[in-house]
Amino acid sequence: MSIKGGPALFALTAALNFGVVHARAAEPPPVDAFARIPMLRNVEISPDGGAFSAKVAMNGREHMAVYEFAAGGKLVVKSNATESDGLRIGWISWKRPDRLVVSLRFPSKRWGTDTIETRLMALAREGGEFEALFRPSRDDIPLQMEDQIISWLPNDPDHILVEYNDDNPREPAVYRVPIERNIHRQVQGSRSGITGWIADPQGRVRAGYGFASDAEKKQKLILRLADESGWRDFSHRVEEDAPGFAIMGFAPDGKTAYVESDFEQDPPPVYEFDIEKDAFGRKVFEHPNFEASGLRFDSKTGALTGIDYVADETHAIWLDEGVKSELDAVRALLPGKTVELVDVSLGGAHAVLFASSADDPGRYYFFDRASRRLTQLPPNYPELEGVALGKVIATSYAARDGLVIPAYVTLPPGVSSLEEARGLPFVLNPHGGPGARDFLSFDYWAQFFASRGYGVLQMNFRGSTGYGVAFKTAGEREWGQAMQDDIADGAGWLASQGYADRNRMAIVGGSYGGYAALMGAAKTPDLYQCAVSFAGVSDLPDLLRDARKYIGGKAGTRHIGRLWKDRSMLAENSPARRADDITVPVLLVHGDKDRVVDVDHSKKMRNALRKAGGTVEYVELKDGDHHLSAHSDRLAFLSASEKFLAGCIGG
């Protein structure tokens, strides 16, 4: 396959084979069994229910494929292509039964700054050439980001809404983009300070957000009724000291928004919000411990159909009793699994489900509503099929100031409870973000370490999302401080309970978790025997300076600190500036095409440790990104970590 009018970015592949390899040997599964890219991702059913698209991992590469259902339940490959070096398939989505839209991603440099570039393509169901939906600008320079879709226009089979601006990406306009012809029509002009737009389920542009000035000190928000041409200013709702005000969606009446806010209670409920009256209405969702993670809408009517939230596992509250009863029936067929509704065909006759658990990597299923037939696809980690994995236990512990820290412990296979976990070597594995969280689901890092005989503790330290505003804001400007103490207190809890051998504990993390691993080694070197950092931040002032090159970067890093005002605090909590305090071995792994945390952070850390006389191993992944997207990168990271940990806490 090639892009119409451009160079061949994909190579043709043979028909994909879903053969399953079973691993049932007495020895732990090989590293490769955990390092594989999941067999199927981004599975989406066609609007007519007769086909599906997916990203498929085979032979260490990820492919894009379209399959049709044939007689006897067979699958027929209609088109397929494989990623080339440096080029990734961002996502695939159906627009019509005969046509898909595909986003391609690749690392680049624009005006001297490291960037990610995206290209938006159309593809016929029957295959053929990719067709570019954008032409280069008048200066013959393609847009950096072409795939910023704000609406799929469910009632228009030929167009999508995309936001972009050739001249000033900081202030995008909205265009109606055809999926077969290259004539874009503007439906919403750019506005001063508006960096992004939100459409309602019917595809009407209803909200714009951004900053009142380039300094990004004051947020800006505008809203309008569906039948209005003018905009109303709601910036007072997003002032720095105002209660939270996050738009989650819009009702089909054209007057009501769904807004998450903590103006009455925390965690914040979701309310109906009257745009015309600037007033909150009834609560749509509330929970004593957790926030909503998303809303679901009917693709035809735009009506609210469900609310998602994450406790230990993902949950959905369905407003449609028919959907709820059908999913309950499916769950009864898959006991012990978390069953998620992934996608539904346009008429609602067919659906894609995903079923998994903390010790089961899961698989996709197709559900035929008329026949109530459930058809399974191959497992996402075929080599782990039938292999006993580690039991994952939801628990919590108290931080030194009394804050309760939710946590998850993954035990080595064969250990069934914390009471049986006596004196284990332990890996502390803080999550990335830090605006994210762990939950009770399959985690290939945790299960890999558990398969090697280690217990694994994953904690949702203060600053993690999902538990309310107070819990999240407790992490403001606490990098290396209270957030780090929460992690250390987890190590202390493991040792005090007798679960962990206090002389065999390591700290391992990626991104923010990599920073926390390095900071743990610097701040509490007596607590850990070694540290592993994948793509970790090592210098906070460098991170803040780099963020200023990007739209929203200055505002987005305020939770870390102010570059000048907090300069002493930032320096004190930068591991590269505290290399003399690190007395334990350190493993650094980083991709050289990382566009989130520059590889220079790990290089700087390596150089500082060498200068201080520390023990450091450094692995640089050629063409590697921030997410270990390639099978070879996952394999390299896990293999290096296995060997490194065996040398410091194994045995």
Side-chain angles (χ1 to χ4, degrees):
M1 283 182 189
S2 62
I3 294 175
K4 197 171 186 178
L9 296 181
F10 282 88
L12 283 172
T13 62
L16 301 180
N17 180 0
F18 280 140
V20 176
V21 177
H22 294 276
R24 289 190 171 81
E27 292 296 315
V31 181
D32 198 59
F34 297 92
R36 71 136 50 240
I37 304 298
M39 175 72 82
L40 294 170
R41 295 196 291 180
N42 197 194
V43 176
E44 189 172 305
I45 199 161
S46 63
D48 62 2
F52 73 94
S53 59
K55 292 197 288 186
V56 186
M58 298 291 292
N59 302 319
R61 290 276 190 176
E62 197 155 36
H63 309 253
M64 190 212 83
V66 176
Y67 297 89
E68 279 189 357
F69 298 104
K74 292 183 178 179
L75 294 175
V76 178
V77 181
K78 303 304 293 184
S79 63
N80 60 86
T82 184
E83 294 179 335
S84 62
D85 291 339
L87 185 74
R88 303 279 180 229
I89 302 163
W91 47 259
I92 316 150
S93 195
W94 293 86
K95 176 56 184 171
R96 293 194 316 237
D98 66 333
R99 203 156 181 83
L100 302 96
V101 178
V102 182
S103 172
L104 309 180
R105 300 171 60 85
F106 57 95
S108 183
K109 235 182 219 307
R110 188 172 283 253
W111 299 296
T113 300
D114 289 338
T115 59
I116 287 290
E117 306 266 334
T118 67
R119 300 290 175 262
L120 199 61
M121 303 288 163
L123 178 68
R125 176 168 170 166
E126 300 295 324
E129 293 185 323
F130 283 97
E131 299 174 25
L133 298 186
F134 280 75
R135 294 185 182 131
S137 69
R138 56 181 172 271
D139 299 321
D140 204 35
I141 300 174
L143 284 171
Q144 179 192 343
M145 304 298 287
E146 295 181 356
D147 66 348
Q148 305 303 292
I149 296 175
I150 70 165
S151 175
W152 285 92
L153 297 178
N155 299 313
D156 179 345
D158 302 318
H159 299 85
I160 55 180
L161 287 188
V162 185
E163 63 176 24
Y164 67 90
N165 190 326
D166 278 337
D167 301 316
N168 181 9
R170 183 178 286 274
E171 295 177 353
V174 179
Y175 292 85
R176 192 165 170 260
V177 175
I179 60 169
E180 288 191 276
R181 293 175 294 113
N182 213 316
I183 302 172
H184 299 192
R185 182 171 68 83
Q186 188 179 109
V187 298
Q188 170 60 54
S190 61
R191 292 179 66 92
S192 176
I194 299 301
T195 60
W197 299 95
I198 304 173
D200 64 18
Q202 287 81 16
R204 301 169 296 198
V205 182
R206 302 288 304 284
Y209 56 90
F211 303 98
S213 68
D214 288 345
E216 299 179 4
K217 290 183 178 179
K218 187 176 180 181
Q219 293 186 71
K220 187 172 184 176
L221 176 67
I222 56 177
L223 291 164
R224 68 180 175 193
L225 303 179
D227 58 1
E228 283 184 328
S229 58
W231 290 95
R232 304 178 183 215
D233 189 355
F234 282 79
S235 299
H236 60 283
R237 289 289 185 181
V238 289
E239 290 177 351
E240 189 168 0
D241 296 326
F245 190 87
I247 296 172
M248 304 284 284
F250 293 89
D253 64 4
K255 301 176 182 179
T256 305
Y258 296 111
V259 172
E260 188 176 68
S261 177
D262 64 327
F263 80 99
E264 285 184 317
Q265 65 193 69
D266 188 35
V270 178
Y271 298 85
E272 290 181 341
F273 180 80
D274 188 316
I275 297 171
E276 191 168 24
K277 296 178 181 178
D278 188 9
F280 287 94
R282 73 180 182 93
K283 292 176 185 175
V284 174
F285 168 84
E286 64 178 322
H287 194 285
N289 301 312
F290 306 105
E291 303 171 34
S293 56
L295 305 184
R296 296 175 184 249
F297 297 90
D298 185 278
S299 59
K300 286 185 175 180
T301 66
L304 180 66
T305 59
I307 302 107
D308 294 329
Y309 72 96
V310 181
D312 287 324
E313 299 170 301
T314 57
H315 297 271
I317 298 174
W318 293 102
L319 308 182
D320 184 323
E321 284 299 322
V323 172
K324 180 181 182 301
S325 63
E326 287 175 344
L327 285 175
D328 286 345
V330 171
R331 291 189 181 99
L333 298 174
L334 301 167
K337 308 298 181 189
T338 297
V339 179
E340 301 173 63
L341 179 60
V342 176
D343 190 34
V344 181
S345 63
L346 188 59
H350 304 87
V352 179
L353 308 171
F354 186 74
S356 64
S357 66
D359 59 358
D360 176 0
R363 69 203 310 159
Y364 287 93
Y365 292 81
F366 287 111
F367 180 59
D368 186 306
R369 294 182 72 179
S371 66
R372 296 294 192 270
R373 182 179 179 184
L374 198 62
T375 303
Q376 68 178 19
L377 290 180
N380 260 0
Y381 284 73
E383 297 84 0
L384 296 180
E385 184 78 350
V387 173
L389 297 178
K391 184 177 179 61
V392 186
I393 297 168
T395 184
S396 65
Y397 59 88
R400 62 193 64 184
D401 63 357
L403 184 66
V404 175
I405 306 300
Y408 303 96
V409 176
T410 304
L411 298 171
V415 182
S416 60
S417 69
L418 286 173
E419 288 68 31
E420 293 180 26
R422 312 312 298 175
L424 288 173
F426 250 88
V427 170
L428 277 82
N429 180 209
H431 63 71
R437 60 158 293 188
D438 281 317
F439 51 100
L440 200 64
S441 65
F442 176 80
D443 184 300
Y444 77 94
W445 282 26
Q447 288 291 350
F448 171 71
F449 295 135
S451 76
R452 270 52 189 168
Y454 308 118
V456 182
L457 175 67
Q458 296 171 288
M459 70 298 294
N460 288 325
F461 43 79
R462 70 192 68 202
S464 300
T465 55
Y467 298 98
V469 175
F471 194 87
K472 186 175 189 305
T473 56
E476 295 285 318
R477 294 188 178 88
E478 292 292 347
W479 283 46
Q481 300 170 92
M483 294 166 78
Q484 194 70 41
D485 292 343
D486 290 347
I487 300 168
D489 292 343
W493 169 74
L494 287 171
S496 67
Q497 297 297 312
Y499 306 143
D501 180 344
R502 64 174 61 248
N503 296 313
R504 291 199 295 165
M505 286 195 285
I507 182 167
V508 180
S511 193
Y512 174 83
Y515 162 84
L518 296 173
M519 199 61 205
K523 190 173 183 180
T524 51
D526 56 333
L527 198 56
Y528 310 110
Q529 277 61 61
C530 56
V532 179
S533 167
F534 167 71
V537 173
S538 71
D539 191 286
L540 296 184
D542 283 355
L543 181 69
L544 268 58
R545 276 190 287 267
D546 191 53
R548 294 185 172 196
K549 301 174 185 176
Y550 305 96
I551 297 170
K554 187 173 182 180
T557 54
R558 283 204 182 118
H559 67 281
I560 303 174
R562 265 68 168 183
L563 191 56
W564 178 251
K565 180 182 177 182
D566 298 319
R567 61 192 181 280
S568 296
M569 178 271 287
L570 294 170
E572 174 66 17
N573 291 289
S574 293
R577 304 186 186 209
R578 297 189 56 174
D580 288 339
D581 296 328
I582 297 176
T583 58
V584 300
V586 173
L587 170 64
L588 302 168
V589 183
H590 214 127
D592 67 356
K593 294 295 190 297
D594 191 328
R595 293 299 187 256
V596 180
V597 177
D598 195 278
V599 67
D600 285 347
H601 278 269
S602 286
K603 289 180 177 179
K604 187 172 187 175
M605 190 75 232
R606 174 197 62 189
N607 295 341
L609 286 168
R610 286 176 177 173
K611 184 177 180 181
T615 301
V616 58
E617 295 180 29
Y618 178 76
V619 178
E620 189 168 298
L621 306 173
K622 186 179 186 306
D623 295 326
D625 63 13
H626 191 70
H627 309 288
L628 292 173
S629 297
H631 167 261
S632 57
D633 293 343
R634 292 188 179 196
L635 184 61
F637 170 72
L638 293 182
S639 297
S641 298
E642 178 180 36
K643 182 179 178 182
F644 181 78
L645 292 174
C648 64
I649 63 169

